Amino acid sequence: MTERQDEAGCRPGCGACCIAPSISSPIPGMPQGKPAGVRCVQLDEANLCRLFGNPRRPAVCERFAFDAALCGEHRDQALIRISELEAMT
């Protein structure tokens, strides 16, 4: 994967959306999906998705868009807020 474009508002290197939520659909390397709070195996050491722009990327990941109210002003806020949202669902 390449670095995300900042035009969508995503902070390159954040990775909160690849850690905090559960993903029930298969992910390459995680055929059963992933539980909430578990780092996706496709998240690289720079916290960038290796599948970004790849057709194998799960649809749920493709649809997850930056939202300033959810993602907050920094990565720690994003992790907390996405985790809280996950716990409510």
Side-chain angles (χ1 to χ4, degrees), residues 1-84:
M1 168 191 199
T2 59
E3 189 169 315
R4 292 182 185 162
Q5 296 295 319
D6 196 34
E7 66 192 6
C10 280
R11 288 181 293 276
C14 174
C17 60
C18 303
I19 298 169
S22 62
I23 298 175
S24 59
S25 58
I27 302 164
M30 299 181 99
Q32 304 301 316
K34 70 165 224 59
V38 172
R39 183 180 182 85
C40 179
V41 298
Q42 296 300 329
L43 194 60
D44 71 14
E45 56 282 341
N47 288 329
L48 299 172
C49 176
R50 291 180 181 97
L51 296 176
F52 193 80
N54 184 311
R56 298 181 311 146
R57 186 174 183 217
V60 67
C61 300
E62 190 70 35
R63 289 190 306 263
F64 196 95
F66 174 82
D67 179 297
L70 178 61
C71 297
E73 295 184 22
H74 52 77
R75 181 177 190 265
D76 292 339
Q77 282 183 335
L79 283 166
I80 290 167
R81 291 175 181 182
I82 296 170
S83 295
E84 288 173 349

